[in-house]
Amino acid sequence: MRLGMGAAQVVTVDPIYLNQGVDNWAITHVFDFLARAPLGRFGASPAEFTPELAESWTISPDSRVWTFHIRKGVMFHKGYGELTAEDVKFTFDRVRDPKQGSGAAIIYSNVDSVETPDPYTAVIRLKQPDPFFMSSTVHLTSSNIVCKKAVLEKGDKFARDPIGSGPYQMVSVTPKLVTLTANPDYFGQKPNIPNMEVSYILDTSARALAILGGQVDMILAPAGPGAINSIVQKNPKLILDVALPGNSVSVAFNLNHKPLDDLRVRQAFMYAINKEEIRKSVTPATPRVYGLNPPSVPGALTDQNCPAALRYDFNPAKAKQLLAEAGFPNGFAFPVISSVRDDFSSLMLIIAEQLRQVGVKMDLKLIDHAAYHEADVRDLCNFTMRIGSYPPVPTQPFQNELMAAGNVQPDGKGRGNNFSHYGVAIPGIDDMVAQAMAEPELGKRLALCGRIEEKILTDLPLVSLCTTAYVVIRNPRLDIGFKVDSSLGYWRLNQAKFVA
Amino acid sequence: MRMARTIALRVLDAVPTVLLVLTLVFFALRVLPGDPARVALGEFATPEQIAALHAKMGLDGPLAWQYLTFLRDVATLRFGTSFVSSEPVGAMLAQNLPYTIDLTVLATLFGVVMGLPLGVASARRRGGPVDFGARLFALLGYAIPDFYLGALLLIWLALDTGLFPISGGGEGAWDRFYHLILPAFTLGVIKAAFLSRLTRGALLETLGRDFVRTARAKGAREPRVVYRHALRNALLPVSNGLALSLLSTLSGAVAIELIFNRPGIGTMLVEAVSTRDYPVVQAGLVVFSLFVVAVNLLADLLNGVIDPRIRAAS
């Protein structure tokens, strides 16, 4: 089985140093989680997760103590012995250790301690209750359980020669190819296909040719406008696996910059930007997004529950009226910095054209992607696009993008991606998020998240544009064994088999 | 002995050039906005983590100190480890460089084998159909971008007819060669267009010179006049042009590496620039500048072989 993924080369197969999403395709097959979301979709609540390395688990009533009972007899690859609770503790302690320099460490800041009362029990204590702990932490790439002995023995080489307990084990890693072979001792569903290769094919035409020519069985679909359609037109039998929500696209107004500090101007933008048109412009079209969380995330605003006053359906006349009330009857011009990356530039150009229709002229400057990120974290942007994904945990985007603590700073030393300065320029959100974070009961927490979404849509620190789904184009001869629905941008293929 | 001395002197000549390139690269990278630690850690990085990674990357000291450390590392051929993948840069070069050398050598071979005879035939039959065809080929070769020609050849010879593999670098000697043919041919066609035009022009000029007329007047047969007398004298600009085209192949290889999904130093460099992976960019450019020096040296030596006067002068 051959996979063609969109990156120049493999960066790492060590879960705690994941830096590019496509490396997950190798990682997810080499390692196991304590518990896994149902194949092809997110787990909305802990009850939906299926046992993996943990045979069972218990949750304290305040959602702060999570006790995992580890499966006995799970063996690490290549003779590295049995997996025990000590490896679980090592995995969590390693990612949290500042000396390791894992980019994911901040996500584990709520973990207070990991204890191992016996070799088959791991007790994870949290500082604050987290009914979403499975989605927020256990199911993150960096929570794939690594072999303590192998990490200590191999050091930096672990990233190229990893030892896990998953359905496939590592054969070799070269810059453009990761080769895996089935783990004969796997405790779960043993792979139907004995070998797996993950090829790194950055160029979109090369990837398209690879799937059309049958050189690979699956590719990460190219992101450019019309790219998916042009491939499927050449071979209509190809199958699209579409994982929602994929990446969320939002644009933050810098509330410290005039005239974006004026609520009427932001409301005018909301009415002028045709979100229906934008969501239909991405392939495949994705469901309409209202608040910061896309509709597939628990607690999000959807077509059904979004209040009419906060929908901001396309209405250029109303946008012009609001601009006039704000003192801009003829519109205005404003400078915007964005990234040259295809997805950023194409979406920003659509917005520029839509705003032009109501008299707002965007002087758009597109710069190199790394330079753009340097500019946005240094508070140099006033209309900042963010494209990224979160686990299906509704509080995470609030924490990263809207709370005072996450404000970007001119020296680049901010602690988050709050490009709008919401929480400081317009206070109130921090208390609401803190209240939600302290709520141990899932249903109540979701209701609080809904209220936060409504406040965001009232104050408008940002506009949520759409999501761009993760799409994999698959040869019909490969049956993956389940339907992909809502998911992160990768999934397991040990059930996959070749069909005639 | 004289040859060894010439080579040694040329290598010494190159030291200031390479040093200048290294200095420019070092400072240009650091002036460029974009923080390698931020790129490596992703968007959830804290200021403490970024500071810690700066220290680990050796980016926390004064710039002058970083520069001196960098020069020391280059002098001792220690290129450090990649900021992104933590892999030793030496190993990355060892993995990627052979693919680029393969591609450059075979593309040059294709270019010479196709371009030189075509240029000669075109000059010998000036104004005839062969000349017309060769000039049309040269014009098209000049006009068509390498990535477009590569894509066309891929669709035709790999996707539709299945004669060649679609992508990758191949494993094992034969498979590697099999994967090399189409990308090398793509670059070779473009090189052949350039060389045939260069050869034609140089040969036409030489064929009109007095010594050629003398050779003909003395009754030398036409092939002897063309190949023995005229062509050898026409080869000097061709060899210089070949050296230049060799260098452009190295940069042109980036697009070819991308569409054929080959490993190589070109794509490694492009990716490293976008992720601000300083050690990889620096090491890659050291290799590039050494390559430029080597090609220039080779061209000089080749010129000496072609023209004894140059040999005598050096």
Side-chain angles (χ1 to χ4, degrees):
Chain A
M1 171 168 41
R2 295 194 173 103
L3 284 55
M5 290 302 142
Q9 57 181 17
V10 57
V11 170
T12 184
V13 195
D14 186 337
I16 73 163
Y17 297 116
L18 180 84
N19 182 263
Q20 66 179 12
V22 291
D23 288 343
N24 268 310
W25 286 93
I27 290 172
T28 198
H29 291 96
V30 173
F31 300 95
D32 288 313
F33 288 128
L34 289 170
R36 187 170 292 272
L39 285 171
R41 61 187 180 85
F42 289 131
S45 69
E48 286 194 54
F49 280 74
T50 53
E52 198 156 280
L53 292 175
E55 271 183 321
S56 62
W57 51 87
T58 55
I59 311 163
S60 67
D62 64 357
S63 300
R64 284 169 70 164
V65 184
W66 292 66
T67 305
F68 293 92
H69 302 286
I70 309 299
R71 189 184 297 272
K72 288 180 183 163
V74 173
M75 303 305 286
F76 279 119
H77 302 153
K78 304 177 184 175
Y80 269 83
E82 189 183 7
L83 184 150
T84 66
E86 188 54 35
D87 297 292
V88 176
K89 177 176 167 55
F90 177 77
T91 298
F92 279 81
D93 289 348
R94 179 173 178 246
V95 64
R96 294 190 304 141
D97 178 3
K99 284 194 207 112
Q100 297 294 333
S102 164
I106 185 94
I107 301 166
Y108 294 77
S109 55
N110 192 32
V111 174
D112 191 31
S113 67
V114 183
E115 294 151 20
T116 55
D118 66 68
Y120 300 103
T121 308
V123 182
I124 303 179
R125 292 181 193 281
L126 307 181
K127 294 173 190 161
Q128 274 205 308
D130 186 2
F132 285 111
F133 185 60
M134 285 294 196
S135 305
S136 72
T137 311
V138 171
H139 209 258
L140 291 183
T141 299
S142 38
S143 297
N144 276 291
I145 305 302
V146 297
C147 173
K148 178 181 177 181
K149 184 181 166 199
V151 170
L152 296 177
E153 189 181 296
K154 291 172 188 280
D156 285 347
K157 293 199 173 83
F158 188 80
R160 289 282 188 277
D161 185 17
I163 299 293
S165 56
Y168 284 89
Q169 56 190 17
M170 185 60 67
V171 175
S172 64
V173 178
T174 60
K176 289 197 175 290
L177 187 70
V178 176
T179 309
L180 307 170
T181 188
N183 170 10
D185 303 321
Y186 191 54
F187 63 88
Q189 158 97 47
K190 288 191 173 54
N192 289 317
I193 300 172
N195 297 304
M196 181 190 290
E197 288 181 356
V198 186
S199 293
Y200 287 75
I201 311 176
L202 179 63
D203 185 63
T204 51
S205 321
R207 231 159 51 239
L209 288 170
I211 187 81
L212 287 169
Q215 187 167 339
V216 295
D217 303 297
M218 284 169 51
I219 59 163
L220 183 72
I228 295 177
N229 291 342
S230 68
I231 296 173
V232 178
Q233 269 166 13
K234 285 203 173 64
N235 181 358
K237 288 183 181 159
L238 292 173
I239 295 168
L240 297 186
D241 291 318
V242 180
L244 290 171
N247 278 319
S248 291
V249 186
S250 60
V251 192
F253 298 102
N254 193 324
L255 300 172
N256 290 339
H257 288 194
K258 287 193 180 307
L260 301 176
D261 59 339
D262 187 326
L263 178 62
R264 291 165 299 185
V265 171
R266 300 197 299 276
Q267 286 172 332
F269 273 48
M270 290 297 280
Y271 285 115
I273 294 171
N274 188 342
K275 290 171 282 294
E276 272 299 299
E277 196 174 272
I278 288 174
R279 79 170 184 86
K280 285 177 186 160
S281 75
V282 297
T283 314
T286 50
R288 169 90 181 260
V289 175
Y290 294 93
L292 191 49
N293 283 292
S296 54
V297 172
L301 295 179
T302 63
D303 282 336
Q304 285 75 39
N305 67 6
C306 182
L310 301 177
R311 295 174 71 96
Y312 299 100
D313 290 326
F314 179 55
N315 189 341
K318 193 157 183 176
K320 281 184 182 166
Q321 183 201 327
L322 283 159
L323 285 173
E325 284 172 21
F328 302 102
N330 300 316
F332 60 87
F334 76 123
V336 171
I337 299 173
S338 198
S339 164
V340 287
R341 213 175 78 180
D342 273 359
D343 42 357
F344 280 79
S345 55
S346 57
L347 286 166
M348 206 45 120
L349 285 168
I350 294 175
I351 300 174
E353 178 55 25
Q354 291 179 346
L355 290 177
R356 197 181 63 78
Q357 306 287 333
V358 298
V360 174
K361 185 173 177 292
M362 188 192 288
D363 293 326
L364 183 59
K365 188 177 168 194
L366 297 174
I367 60 174
D368 164 75
H369 193 68
Y372 168 64
H373 271 320
E374 197 60 29
D376 67 25
V377 297
R378 288 182 182 273
D379 198 19
L380 294 172
C381 303
N382 59 5
F383 193 59
T384 313
M385 182 171 279
R386 179 190 177 279
I387 301 183
S389 62
Y390 295 100
V393 181
T395 44
Q396 283 205 0
F398 305 150
Q399 287 175 289
N400 185 41
E401 293 182 56
L402 294 172
M403 289 179 75
N407 255 329
V408 290
Q409 309 285 349
D411 62 2
K413 291 187 174 168
R415 290 176 176 277
N417 285 183
N418 183 350
F419 305 118
S420 66
H421 300 274
Y422 194 50
V424 178
I426 304 174
I429 183 82
D430 284 48
D431 292 343
M432 291 178 79
V433 176
Q435 193 190 351
M437 296 295 291
E439 174 54 58
E441 197 190 309
L442 192 72
K444 286 184 186 164
R445 187 180 279 217
L446 291 180
L448 288 169
C449 289
R451 293 234 291 278
I452 293 170
E453 292 280 23
E454 288 177 17
K455 177 170 170 58
I456 296 168
L457 281 173
T458 309
D459 294 340
L460 296 178
L462 49 77
V463 45
S464 275
L465 284 183
C466 62
T467 62
T468 54
Y470 287 111
V471 184
V472 162
I473 304 178
R474 172 162 55 93
N475 191 311
R477 78 188 186 116
L478 183 70
D479 175 5
I480 61 169
F482 57 90
K483 186 180 178 317
V484 177
D485 183 5
S486 60
S487 169
L488 299 169
Y490 59 93
W491 39 90
R492 269 197 163 173
L493 296 166
N494 45 329
Q495 290 186 16
K497 58 179 185 282
F498 287 116
V499 291
Chain B
M1 189 62 201
R2 189 198 282 170
M3 175 84 87
R5 193 165 165 267
T6 309
I7 293 174
L9 281 175
R10 291 305 308 262
V11 170
L12 275 180
D13 268 359
V15 170
T17 316
V18 173
L19 202 64
L20 186 68
V21 170
L22 291 179
T23 308
L24 285 175
V25 167
F26 179 87
F27 288 104
L29 274 175
R30 279 147 183 89
V31 167
L32 214 61
D35 181 345
R38 201 182 294 284
V39 175
L41 288 168
E43 65 174 336
F44 299 114
T46 62
E48 292 78 22
Q49 280 184 308
I50 289 174
L53 195 54
H54 278 162
K56 196 174 163 192
M57 287 170 165
L59 299 176
D60 54 342
L63 205 58
W65 177 250
Q66 288 181 41
Y67 178 64
L68 290 175
T69 314
F70 163 63
L71 287 185
R72 184 202 64 199
D73 288 352
V74 171
T76 52
L77 290 179
R78 279 190 321 203
F79 294 115
T81 54
S82 159
F83 286 171
V84 175
S85 67
S86 302
E87 227 193 329
V89 177
M92 291 172 77
L93 284 176
Q95 277 174 331
N96 285 289
L97 193 57
Y99 287 95
T100 304
I101 292 175
D102 287 356
L103 181 62
T104 309
V105 169
L106 192 65
T108 306
L109 206 65
F110 274 135
V112 171
V113 167
M114 290 187 287
L116 271 185
L118 206 61
V120 172
S122 177
R124 286 188 66 187
R125 294 169 177 79
R126 187 180 185 181
V130 173
D131 186 27
F132 178 76
R135 281 161 61 197
L136 187 67
F137 168 74
L139 193 70
L140 286 175
Y142 264 126
I144 196 163
D146 48 10
F147 62 87
Y148 184 67
L149 179 64
L152 286 183
L153 290 174
L154 257 178
I155 292 170
W156 176 38
L157 294 173
L159 187 64
D160 292 348
T161 61
L163 287 175
F164 292 99
I166 289 174
S167 70
E171 282 170 46
W174 164 246
D175 193 37
R176 225 166 114 166
F177 179 68
Y178 185 40
H179 278 79
L180 177 63
I181 298 171
L182 210 51
F185 182 72
T186 308
L187 282 175
V189 165
I190 287 162
K191 200 181 285 292
F194 170 70
L195 284 178
S196 75
R197 198 162 172 83
L198 203 64
T199 310
R200 178 183 180 271
L203 191 57
L204 276 178
E205 194 197 325
T206 318
L207 282 171
R209 304 233 323 244
D210 287 349
F211 72 90
V212 173
R213 199 165 19 196
T214 309
R216 280 191 179 125
K218 285 171 77 179
R221 294 219 315 245
E222 192 57 17
R224 187 178 168 84
V225 171
V226 172
Y227 295 108
R228 175 92 191 193
H229 295 289
L231 185 59
R232 186 159 181 187
N233 280 285
L235 276 181
L236 211 57
V238 175
S239 111
N240 288 332
L242 186 66
L244 279 177
S245 85
L246 210 63
L247 299 178
S248 69
T249 304
L250 207 62
S251 49
V254 175
I256 293 297
E257 281 169 13
L258 269 177
I259 61 165
F260 286 91
N261 196 40
R262 289 175 58 76
I265 201 161
T267 38
M268 187 185 94
L269 259 178
V270 170
E271 183 64 12
V273 170
S274 73
T275 54
R276 304 293 187 267
D277 197 346
Y278 297 168
V280 176
V281 179
Q282 286 162 180
L285 287 168
V286 169
V287 171
F288 260 83
S289 32
L290 290 177
F291 193 81
V292 171
V293 171
V295 167
N296 280 331
L297 180 63
L298 211 67
D300 282 357
L301 295 175
L302 193 64
N303 284 349
V305 172
I306 295 168
D307 189 341
R309 288 170 302 180
I310 294 175
R311 203 160 55 222
S314 69

